[in-house]
Each structure stands twice: as C-alpha cells, then as structure tokens.
Amino acid sequence: MNTIDQVVPASSTLPQHVAVIMDGNGRWAKSRGQARIQGHRKGVEMVRELVAACGEKGIAALTLFAFSSENWRRPKLEVRLLRQLFLLALEREIEKLDAHGIRFGVIGDVAAFGADIAERVRAAEERTRANTRLRLTIAANYGGRWDITRACRELAREVEAGRLKASEITPEQLSARLSLPDVPEPDFFIRTGGEQRISNFLLWQLAYTELYFTPVLWPDFDRRQFDLALQSFATRQRRFGRTGEQIEAPRRA
Ligand code: IPE
Ligand code: IPE
Ligand code: MG
C-alpha cells in the first residue's frame, strides 16, 4: 500500500483540508476609493466567516495564507499596518476560537514580526492545543521554498550527526520535517482575486491538491462563494495517477 492509499478517504465530496490564498484585499479597497488597509480589515471579517463555515460543515483543517515571505517587499506603511492587524486579531479572536473548540497554529518565521507577536502566537497555540473541532493554521511570513529548505537543512543535520543515512531520505522523511507534519496534505486549494498562481504557498504539500481559482476578491468571498467552491470540489475525480476506470470500479479495473 502506498502513502496515497493511506491518506485519501475512499470517497469524499467534502474536502478535509482546505488551503486558501486570500487575495484581492487591496483591489477591493481601491475599487471603493478606500485605503488598502480597509480591504485587509474586511478580509479579517471574511476569515471569521470562513472559519465558522468550516466548523459547521465538519471540515477538519483550514490553512490560510495571510502574509508571504515576499510581502515584506510592500510599502513600509502597509507592512506596519498588517503587522498591527495581526496583533489585534490575535488579541481579539483567540478566546472565541478556543471557546469554539478550534486549534490555532501559525506556520512561517513569526520571529520576524517581533517578540510581542511571537509570544502571543506561542500562547495561543498552547491554549488551544487540545482542541479538536477544526485545525486553523495561519501562514505568516511563510514561503514554500523556505519550508522545504528548512526541512532539507534538518535532514542534513541529522546526516551530519550520523542519525540518518543519505540513502534513507525518502519523500516521507522530508514531509515529516515540513511545517504541519501532522495534518493531511490539503485536498482543496482556493485562490481568490483572479490570479492563477501559487505564489510560494505550500509548494510540496499541494502536489496533488485540487485547485480552484476565482476572480472574486477575498473581501467578497462569502459563504455562498465558498459553497460554489465546494460544489466544484465535489465534481472532481481525484485519480492520483490511476485511470478513471480504476477509480469508478476499483475491483474490476
Ligand atoms: C491579499 O490581498 C492580502 C495580503 C497579501 C496581505 P492583497 O493585499 O494582495 O490585495 P491585492 O492583490 O493588492 O488586491
Ligand atoms: C499571496 O498574495 C500571498 C497572500 C495572500 C498572503 P500576493 O498578492 O502577495 O501574491 P502575488 O504577489 O500577486 O503573487
Ligand atoms: Mg495580491
């Protein structure tokens, strides 16, 4: 039995792990003659709605790209305001998340946001560790290449220390050293805002993920839009290299 047989449920019309690139906040604000930060503020509200929807539907994991390792290239003011918004959201939302049984986590190099944020993230992760309803992960100062490079470094250290042989390195060994080692890889990816690219999100983990791109800007991505996305997922046939016949009649094909 290979790993794919182990991780994929026999038939599933509801994704177990949804990963989202929440894009389009700036354009949403601009189209209203507002400052970009207003779009980011509205974006936080939409996060709240999506988290609630995922909890209600029984989706096990939700991973949201909030700030990429490349977003430091933005104007200083926008970066500063995004940092403030992150801090505010950590202060205001964690209690509610905990009350709803949501396990909160962050992937990415949070130390770069400063000690106040890093400490709050650590405390929030600790506080919600035992929750099982929904695994909510925020990717902040995250990059897929950073993640893979880190995992490679860790493997190299283990080889140097004599704990592992180079010939023993497998895809599973590498996966185990990436961020989110204990969460099944996303089965559904959504990107709002019209761009059709991955922008250095979960590069390794998206290898066999179903991709969904919508022109709807993130602040407009409401429950109805999420339902449309889920409807699209439900029509997909996930083949993992096999033929359609093998999937439809596994015993005969
Ligand atoms: C996504 O919205 C949020 C972040 C990257 C922080 P954008 O800010 O990229 O919005 P657009 O793409 O400029 O409209
Ligand atoms: C991707 O959006 C990152 C986040 C949503 C946090 P960007 O707006 O930064 O992506 P690019 O630059 O258009 O690829
Ligand atoms: Mg963008």
Side-chain angles (χ1 to χ4, degrees), residues 23-25 27 36 74 191 195:
D23 198 17
N25 293 349
R27 279 164 284 166
R36 293 178 59 85
R74 293 193 176 201
R191 180 171 187 148
E195 252 56 77

Side-chain angles (χ1 to χ4, degrees), residues 21-23 65-68 71 74 191 195 197 199:
I21 297 188
M22 311 180 289
D23 198 17
F65 207 4
F67 191 91
S68 78
N71 286 145
R74 293 193 176 201
R191 180 171 187 148
E195 252 56 77
R197 53 178 174 251
S199 297

Side-chain angles (χ1 to χ4, degrees), residues 131-240:
N131 293 344
T132 54
R133 179 106 180 261
L134 169 72
R135 179 88 178 247
L136 171 65
T137 304
I138 305 295
N141 193 18
Y142 176 88
R145 289 180 175 173
W146 167 84
D147 203 359
I148 294 168
T149 307
R150 234 170 100 256
C152 289
R153 255 190 223 145
E154 175 58 29
L155 286 169
R157 266 195 292 271
E158 290 174 39
V159 171
E160 273 176 1
R163 290 197 298 272
L164 190 71
K165 292 199 183 100
S167 58
E168 288 168 355
I169 296 175
T170 58
E172 290 73 23
Q173 293 272 3
L174 198 142
S175 288
R177 285 153 185 88
L178 292 170
S179 307
L180 290 183
D182 55 339
V183 180
E185 288 168 1
D187 38 8
F188 196 35
F189 162 98
I190 297 171
R191 180 171 187 148
T192 64
E195 252 56 77
Q196 301 193 7
R197 53 178 174 251
I198 304 293
S199 297
N200 200 16
F201 196 24
L202 303 158
L203 296 179
W204 174 284
Q205 298 89 333
L206 292 175
Y208 258 108
T209 305
E210 295 298 325
L211 306 178
Y212 180 85
F213 297 96
T214 168
V216 174
L217 303 173
W218 175 250
D220 291 325
F221 192 82
D222 55 15
R223 280 171 185 255
R224 199 180 65 86
Q225 290 298 331
F226 186 42
D227 285 340
L228 284 175
L230 292 175
Q231 275 169 30
S232 169
F233 179 83
T235 66
R236 314 269 179 112
Q237 185 186 59
R238 307 193 73 205
R239 289 193 285 273
F240 300 103

